[in-house]
Amino acid sequence: MSNSPIYKNYIDGVFVDNGNYFDDISPIDGSLVARVSEADKSLVDQAVLAAKNAMNGKWGKMSVAERCDMLDRVAAEIERRFDDFVAAEIADTGKAHAQVKNIDIPRGGANFRFFANLAREQGEKSWQMDTPDGLGATNKILSKPIGVVAVISPWNLPLLLMTWKVAPALAAGNAVIVKPSEETPGTATLLAEVMDAVGMPKGVFNLVHGFGPGSAGEFMVTHPHVDAVTFTGESKTGTAIMKNAADGLKPVSFELGGKNAAIVFKDADFDKAVSGTIRSAFANCGQVCLCSERVYVEREIFDEFVSALKEKAEALKIGRPEDNADMGPLISVGHREKVLSYFKLAIEEGANVVTGGEVPHFGDDRDQGAFINPTIWTGLSDDARCMNEEIFGPVCHIMPFDHEDEVIHKANDTDYGLAAAIWTTDLEKAERVARQMEVGICWVNDWFLRDLRTPFGGVKLSGIGREGGIHSLEFYSEPLTICMKH
Ligand code: NAD
Ligand code: 6OD
């Protein structure tokens, strides 16, 4: 038996270990990070019952102000345990230190503070109306919580994406059952400790560990007393969840996959466009749903752009987080197999490999990890599978274009519709092109710049609904109209 920690479930305010474990493996060197207690159906049932009872207990009776003060305490406790969260996120993902310290963990706290403040600002709307008897009536609109919300999250930005759902769900007064990805159970377990430490009423935040089909994920979605499902992950998982949620007609909020385009016009600030595209293609080892896997560059600067991107990609330092690496490993050896299968397919489909395409050899324990080199292709046709399927690794294809209409058509010619990035100094053209992008968010001269008030999500296979600001609060609330006759 190893000395690795055991990550437990957190149900009704109690940490529960049912003695049935799966392994949490480091993608840096294949070592065991923790053993994780997998919730079975009966634990999921207990979590749902606890959440339902919480809605009928102290939590359900709290004022908005009391609830939001509690969320501020959650944020403060995450900030107090910042280093623990950084260590747990790095252990599970192997991400670069700078990414975890500057984005993942700060956003965990910020999500709670942001939605607490937003919920405090909401008032009740009311409308006066005339009636035939001349006395009139008042319509008052209340926002009530939906009830028990299932939160299912992925492994690429574990704390950020989980709290992006938990914070507004709690701010709106719901109780949650959270299932993090089986690849990244660490920061979710710490979040349960935080909830415990700040005195969150029992049953408001429940954590269950496990997998999707035939495991905790499916048990949550099909549970008759789960009132809504919020999910971030692959589009095909979204389809499976939607089918299971259909029986109870449960509302769903989905943030799904992408095959995002970057468009670089010849009048772009060249250096900014190159650095921006390095970031948008290779950040988090290409494992951000917003990453640019398709880069379109105006023909006059195509060759110069390809060589500049190649030079910068080859200069990226790959390695351990503590070695100040720019790029860590993929999430797992299994995911690397998938990415490598696309590297092989790209060659079969006629790609020219500008750089990368292989696994680096270190000669130490990192060879048991899931590292991969940043990869750039040219020469694929529009209908190649590698141009149409989400790969979710550090890889982009660069294609030349000649006309604005042509590149708009190519950018939109995909089943996905999450994000786009446009690089140009002509802001009139930027606005004209951006307005025609079939996506949820389009950046001009930047990438992954986030204002939490704005709607975030995708069209087509990239999602259902929007999260962010008031859009999140609306998903997690049911309006009730009270029409009072005078
Ligand atoms: P995934 O779909 O494999 O898993 C996500 C979560 O769903 C995990 O917790 C998993 O256990 C659970 N799950 C899997 N099958 C399930 C089922 N049948 N029922 C219930 N739960 C189930 O996704 P992933 O590999 O963890 O994450 C990568 C994917 O997420 C990529 O496609 C990426 O584009 C997408 N993503 C999208 C966004 C966005 O905002 N649009 C953000 C991050 C990631
Ligand atoms: O920044 C966010 O709020 C967000 N949902 C980011 C999603 C990133 C996808 O991997």
Side-chain angles (χ1 to χ4, degrees):
M1 200 60 65
S2 84
N3 292 322
S4 307
I6 290 178
Y7 290 158
K8 298 179 185 171
N9 304 282
Y10 183 68
I11 296 168
D12 207 13
V14 178
F15 285 93
V16 183
D17 172 2
N18 67 353
N20 183 23
Y21 307 110
F22 62 91
D23 289 344
D24 175 15
I25 300 292
S26 163
I28 300 173
D29 56 12
S31 62
L32 185 67
V33 174
R35 290 186 310 140
V36 188
S37 170
E38 181 182 355
D40 54 14
K41 190 159 182 324
S42 120
L43 278 191
V44 172
D45 286 347
Q46 288 174 37
V48 176
L49 182 64
K52 213 171 148 54
N53 288 339
M55 293 302 300
N56 296 323
K58 186 175 161 196
W59 179 249
K61 294 181 183 57
M62 268 190 191
S63 67
V64 175
E66 286 169 324
R67 232 161 46 207
C68 294
D69 288 350
M70 185 65 88
L71 298 190
D72 278 344
R73 289 205 282 282
V74 171
E77 183 66 4
I78 292 175
E79 286 150 12
R80 192 184 71 76
R81 296 193 60 189
F82 188 83
D83 292 345
D84 297 340
F85 275 94
V86 168
E89 206 74 300
I90 285 179
D92 280 354
T93 62
K95 282 170 194 252
H97 241 118
Q99 146 101 25
V100 180
K101 283 187 147 165
N102 298 325
I103 300 176
D104 291 74
I105 308 307
R107 265 295 296 280
N111 286 339
F112 282 101
R113 287 200 193 282
F114 171 77
F115 282 109
N117 284 335
L118 192 69
R120 282 187 186 104
E121 284 168 12
Q122 305 306 307
E124 278 171 12
K125 276 198 186 124
S126 77
W127 283 283
Q128 304 295 323
M129 69 181 288
D130 295 335
T131 53
D133 64 7
L135 296 175
T138 302
N139 292 285
K140 211 183 242 186
I141 318 299
L142 272 60
S143 267
K144 298 177 61 160
I146 312 181
V148 177
V149 177
V151 177
I152 303 179
S153 51
W155 44 256
N156 63 324
L157 300 165
L159 183 72
L160 187 160
L161 291 172
M162 184 186 33
T163 54
W164 179 238
K165 292 171 182 298
V166 171
L170 296 187
N174 301 280
V176 296
I177 325 290
V178 177
K179 195 199 82 60
S181 167
E182 53 275 29
E183 304 281 3
T184 51
T187 47
T189 309
L190 285 184
L191 187 63
E193 291 178 15
V194 163
M195 295 289 173
D196 207 61
V198 303
M200 184 63 78
K202 291 178 192 319
V204 173
F205 175 93
N206 302 277
L207 169 70
V208 293
H209 290 295
F211 301 80
S215 182
E218 184 178 319
F219 303 149
M220 288 160 70
V221 174
T222 53
H223 200 291
H225 293 134
V226 163
D227 300 302
V229 179
T230 176
F231 165 73
T232 298
E234 279 193 44
S235 302
K236 67 174 179 348
T237 311
T239 304
I241 290 179
M242 202 168 175
K243 283 182 181 157
N244 279 334
D247 275 343
L249 288 179
K250 293 173 185 152
V252 294
S253 173
F254 283 173
E255 295 195 344
L256 307 175
K259 188 73 184 176
N260 311 300
I263 301 176
V264 184
F265 287 98
K266 65 182 179 204
D267 59 21
D269 177 322
F270 187 83
D271 292 341
K272 277 194 187 150
V274 171
S275 320
T277 307
I278 281 288
R279 209 160 64 82
S280 76
F282 303 126
N284 204 35
C285 202
Q287 302 167 119
V288 181
C289 58
L290 309 159
C291 274
S292 318
E293 292 194 6
R294 297 178 297 138
V295 181
Y296 298 99
V297 179
E298 203 159 1
R299 195 173 300 277
E300 283 90 328
I301 59 164
F302 179 77
D303 289 341
E304 195 191 346
F305 189 90
V306 172
S307 13
L309 207 72
K310 170 178 167 21
E311 193 183 318
K312 276 203 180 296
E314 288 173 354
L316 290 173
K317 184 173 170 193
I318 304 171
R320 297 177 200 277
E322 63 270 26
D323 294 341
N324 235 350
D326 301 308
M327 222 175 83
L330 289 169
I331 190 65
S332 65
V333 170
H335 184 52
R336 185 173 67 182
E337 286 311 308
K338 176 185 159 189
V339 175
L340 285 172
S341 76
Y342 278 104
F343 285 8
K344 183 165 169 278
L345 177 66
I347 290 167
E348 288 160 15
E349 293 188 315
N352 165 44
V353 181
V354 175
T355 188
E358 68 291 284
V359 167
H361 178 69
F362 298 102
D364 57 34
D365 57 2
R366 286 173 294 175
D367 292 336
Q368 271 69 62
F371 291 90
I372 194 160
N373 284 332
T375 296
I376 300 173
W377 301 317
T378 56
L380 286 171
S381 59
D382 291 326
D383 60 356
R385 278 183 53 204
C386 290
M387 290 289 284
N388 290 282
E389 295 173 19
E390 183 188 47
I391 299 170
F392 220 55
V395 56
C396 68
H397 176 270
I398 318 181
M399 182 179 271
F401 72 89
D402 296 296
H403 305 291
E404 192 178 305
D405 285 350
E406 173 201 1
V407 78
I408 291 170
H409 172 77
K410 281 183 191 292
N412 287 336
D413 190 17
T414 163
D415 292 336
Y416 291 97
L418 188 57
I422 297 172
W423 298 90
T424 175
T425 50
D426 178 345
L427 295 189
E428 216 171 283
K429 176 165 64 185
E431 169 110 19
R432 188 168 64 233
V433 175
R435 282 175 180 270
Q436 295 175 74
M437 289 293 102
E438 294 169 3
V439 294
I441 185 162
C442 178
W443 282 284
V444 174
N445 297 325
D446 212 324
W447 178 77
F448 206 171
L449 185 59
R450 296 280 292 111
D451 180 329
L452 306 189
R453 294 168 298 186
T454 58
F456 183 93
V459 303
K460 303 193 261 184
L461 286 187
S462 291
I464 295 182
R466 294 291 185 276
E467 297 187 343
I470 189 67
H471 305 275
S472 295
L473 291 186
E474 281 177 355
F475 175 75
Y476 297 110
S477 308
E478 286 288 6
L480 164 65
T481 301
I482 300 175
C483 178
M484 195 173 290
K485 176 76 175 62
H486 300 154

